[in-house]
Amino acid sequence: MSELKNDRFLRALMRQPVDRTPIWMMRQAGRYLPEYRASRSQAGDFMSLCKNADLACEVTIQPLDRFPLDAAILFSDILTIPDALGLGLYFETGEGPRFKKTIRTEQDVANLGIVNTETDLDYVLKAVSTIRHELNGRVPLIGFSGSPWTLATYMVEGGSSKDFRHAKAMLYGQPDVMHELLHKLALSVTDYLNKQILAGAQAVQIFDTWGGALAHNAYLEFSLKYMKQIVDGLIRDHDGRRVPVILFTKGAGQWLEAMADTGADALGLDWTTDIADARRRIGDKVALQGNMDPSVLYASPANIRAEVKRILDGYGQGTGHIFNLGHGIHQFADPAHAKAFVEAVVELSPEYHR
Ligand code: CP3
């Protein structure tokens, strides 16, 4: 495959020297971009966009054509796995994701399979190889999956939830059933990520959006344990290069040491964590990705720039920092402000690498 022209994202993940801090934005392809909305309406709906490799490739590259970003992320969704397992994913306008079937009982879990990525999620692999080809070495491509716990919340609840009533009832009421569900999902996620790597993903991120909703012990036992199993099962070198793994648990400030012990190469931080403190605690073990509050993009470019500077100062001198938002960019963010954000990182960060 073609030579990588910009590898500062992969280098920073490995804590190797870089000329400036690399940057990408979680959910960088999405509704805040008018060109994304145009591609989605061309596809018809969100899942049709994910399932069309050429359109998925097109929207993956849209943010790179606007902003000087250092990585592309596969355009897809974490809910492709439950969809492939037969739950019937659909999106009700304005209501977020929904499933036709839920997983609530021991029998439901017993009947659940493990995904065969090549047959059930071939459209994702096709998107990965199409994007790699189209990027032609411009920047690295990130593959991703949801964590077992985060996927389980959607599958048990049947969609998004505020309190995770059913998922937590299973966790505390039938822990063995929840463990069996998470075990099966860990096997599916491992296969899914490894096949993305073989198809061309050059780094992978595990999104544990809802790990932070768990009690201390429950997080370690029901979320982190299964992410570690995945990390242990991943292909770590491919095509002559290390394939770094990034773990992102939203709300994980108190668990950073335990997360760093999984063997992941980098941790994603949300905005509630002080990045200076995170570096002191685990910066000798892993790279750190983050962590500007996405809501800062509602402020003026001057205020955005000041916040970027504050975070760069917080991390301090040297490599091992990948700039990002602390969670996905909001639907109502102004693309001009996203541009000011990315440019501030590009302009202000070289002095931290001298
Ligand atoms: O970062 C990127 O540009 C890649 C694309 C990406 C999407 N979803 C596209 C998407 C990624 C990495 C995801 C991950 C994802 N999906 C997560 C974990 C990350 C996070 O934000 O915590 C979660 C929890 C989901 C589940 C999901 N998918 C929800 C809750 C929704 C509805 C969100 C909403 O704001 O309505 C989706 C749909 C979705 N996934 C959209 C996009 C661009 C919006 C769909 C649309 O175009 O209408």
Side-chain angles (χ1 to χ4, degrees), residues 123-140:
Y123 67 90
V124 176
L125 303 180
K126 180 106 188 301
V128 170
S129 55
T130 304
I131 298 162
R132 260 309 286 279
H133 180 262
E134 200 60 30
L135 282 172
N136 193 27
R138 187 168 163 188
V139 291

Side-chain angles (χ1 to χ4, degrees), residues 41 81 106 159 185 211 289:
S41 71
I81 285 182
E106 187 170 1
L185 287 171
Q289 178 175 278

Side-chain angles (χ1 to χ4, degrees), residues 24-31 36 40 46 73-79 91 96-97 144 150 154 160 207 209-210 327-328 331:
W24 68 283
M25 292 183 285
M26 287 194 274
R27 296 277 194 102
Q28 63 193 19
R31 283 174 299 191
Y36 167 83
R40 190 186 57 174
F46 173 71
I73 179 162
L74 161 70
F75 188 80
S76 190
D77 197 80
I78 65 164
L79 302 178
F91 284 83
F144 71 90
T150 291
Y154 288 98
S160 301
F207 285 92
T209 307
W210 303 121
H327 198 201
Q331 175 187 354

